[in-house]
Amino acid sequence: MSIYFKIEKWYPVAMANESLQNEFTKIFPEGTIAEPLDKYCTLKVGGPADFFCKAKDLETLKNLINFAKNSSLPYFILSGGTNVLFDDKGFRGLVIKIDFKNLEIKDEYITADAGVIVALMMNRAASSGLTGLEKWIGLPGTVGGAVRGNAGCNGLETKDVLVKATLLNPETGEIHEEEPGYFGFGYRDSKIKHSNEIVLNATFHLKKGEPQKVEDPRVFTQPKGLSAGSFFKNPSLATPAGMLIDKAGLKGTRIGNAQISEVHGNFILNLGGATAKDIKDLVALAKSTVKEKFGINLEEEVKIVGER
Ligand SMILES: Cc1cc2nc3c(=O)[nH]c(=O)nc-3n(C[C@H](O)[C@H](O)[C@H](O)COP(=O)(O)OP(=O)(O)OC[C@H]3O[C@@H](n4cnc5c(N)ncnc54)[C@H](O)[C@@H]3O)c2cc1C
């Protein structure tokens, strides 16, 4: 008689040694070993992190970073997981999910911890009679992710409303508060995107007033389904990445269970059961075809984590 086991997904055994695993779970009882990362990202792909822990406060965050440093482990800071692609083999190190969620409103200022979901901050602002964030309707992710990438939509970027943010320098443990000038914000870009500083919280200036009702035009132009939003940065306003991919004839192209959306060329969808490899192969195809046809290098907006 044969016995068959249905294996839904194959995960390589975490590489970390047992004594380090024991030490980790002793120091961080809420931490986990070989934690599947697909649960924590909107693309719903990715293998396990050797070590995983949520940081609910600054002290835990610092302790986790110190653990990683002392154990010579790479670490990765994760927030909402709306802009990341984890490798099928996962992450050989420690994934720290920022989970601070405090939010305070004082007069026209809203100060939110890095782990606060942007949509929740918008709701709180509106229910407190503050206007100014309404254009972010449909903007996924957290406050920390938004500051790092100068996220925005419908004509409102993070830099337009940010007053200050508190950062942790993980190398020195120094905490410092910075005004927008420090960040060197650009299109989906900031200075801290190229350093390893961690956003702890941010303060935004809104106005007292009736929140405006904003319709998100993107509901008609962007696909539904599992994605990480726009996969590539737009090379320029005149040449959006989606248009280039569309003109290259790649809309709807499928590899495995991943597909370049038929609706919007800059969205790569997990149709269900896609692997990171399927998605990376589509990324490579889009980049090489656009380069060949138009001589333009597409640059990923999504952070690719783990093996490439
Ligand atoms: C359907 C869909 C639509 C989208 N539309 C838009 C859009 O219109 N405009 C737009 O700008 N973006 C859009 N995005 C992308 C995404 O919402 C933003 O990039 C968002 O700001 C990412 O935040 P996050 O918390 O999910 O970050 P994550 O995905 O968790 O992380 C992204 C990167 O930020 C780093 N990071 C996260 N938190 C911190 C922190 N506290 N300190 C330092 N680094 C940190 C991570 O290490 C990683 O490198 C969309 C995504 C989806 C899925």
Side-chain angles (χ1 to χ4, degrees):
M1 188 180 75
S2 316
I3 298 173
Y4 294 93
F5 293 98
K6 186 167 181 267
I7 299 173
E8 294 291 343
K9 227 169 192 175
W10 180 81
Y11 292 130
V13 175
M15 309 284 187
N17 70 51
E18 214 179 308
S19 67
L20 195 59
Q21 294 178 350
N22 291 339
E23 192 189 335
F24 176 71
T25 44
K26 201 167 150 200
I27 307 175
F28 306 103
E30 69 283 27
T32 47
I33 304 291
E35 179 74 12
L37 291 170
D38 56 350
K39 291 200 279 191
Y40 300 98
C41 60
T42 48
L43 267 170
K44 299 288 175 222
V45 300
D50 284 354
F51 300 87
F52 179 93
C53 194
K54 290 182 182 174
K56 292 200 180 293
D57 52 44
L58 178 60
E59 200 193 334
T60 313
L61 174 63
K62 282 182 159 180
N63 289 341
L64 284 162
I65 292 171
N66 283 337
F67 175 86
K69 278 200 222 163
N70 295 337
S71 316
S72 304
L73 282 175
Y75 66 88
F76 178 73
I77 300 293
L78 173 69
S79 286
T82 65
N83 214 212
V84 289
L85 170 60
F86 290 117
D87 190 79
D88 294 317
K89 292 189 183 131
F91 185 68
R92 303 286 73 80
L94 169 63
V95 170
I96 304 171
K97 181 161 161 63
I98 300 289
D99 209 28
F100 328 152
K101 295 209 166 140
N102 199 36
L103 185 151
E104 282 171 19
I105 294 178
K106 203 167 170 221
D107 302 323
E108 296 185 331
Y109 295 89
I110 186 160
T111 300
D113 278 351
V116 170
I117 304 285
V118 167
L120 189 135
M121 176 169 79
M122 290 169 63
N123 287 343
R124 286 285 301 279
S127 61
S128 306
L130 293 176
T131 173
L133 292 181
E134 297 88 328
K135 287 182 178 170
W136 280 353
I137 183 163
L139 180 67
T142 63
V143 166
V147 172
R148 174 186 177 270
N150 188 27
C153 58
N154 302 320
L156 181 75
E157 291 186 315
T158 303
K159 69 171 176 51
D160 301 328
V161 272
L162 185 77
V163 176
K164 59 183 179 179
T166 310
L167 303 175
L168 168 68
N169 180 330
E171 302 309 324
T172 60
E174 181 208 356
I175 291 172
H176 54 116
E177 202 176 83
E178 299 294 349
E179 294 182 359
Y182 175 85
F183 292 85
F185 285 121
Y187 161 63
R188 300 293 174 267
D189 200 23
S190 77
K191 174 178 152 185
I192 64 163
K193 202 165 176 177
H194 310 280
S195 73
N196 48 10
E197 287 183 286
I198 300 168
V199 181
L200 300 178
N201 63 53
T203 300
F204 303 91
H205 186 199
L206 308 180
K207 289 203 171 75
K208 288 212 164 91
E210 190 61 28
Q212 306 294 302
K213 185 149 177 49
V214 173
E215 302 288 346
D216 186 3
R218 298 170 311 154
V219 293
F220 303 108
T221 54
Q222 293 185 356
K224 297 189 172 42
L226 304 177
S227 79
S230 295
F231 210 98
F232 301 101
K233 286 180 165 186
N234 290 324
S236 74
L237 269 181
T239 52
M243 185 193 79
L244 294 170
I245 293 167
D246 185 5
K247 282 194 173 166
L250 292 173
K251 258 182 170 179
T253 305
R254 184 171 167 169
I255 295 181
N257 286 322
Q259 184 184 41
I260 295 177
S261 163
E262 289 168 339
V263 177
H264 193 306
N266 202 5
F267 276 65
I268 298 183
L269 301 175
N270 175 0
L271 300 175
T275 61
K277 183 173 184 312
D278 295 338
I279 295 171
K280 287 178 192 181
D281 286 351
L282 279 177
V283 168
L285 177 70
K287 287 177 84 164
S288 61
T289 314
V290 166
K291 175 74 182 170
E292 192 186 300
K293 294 210 172 197
F294 309 110
I296 294 174
N297 291 313
L298 289 179
E299 188 193 334
E300 291 90 343
E301 185 181 321
V302 171
K303 174 77 180 169
I304 298 180
V305 186
E307 281 185 20
R308 292 199 68 135

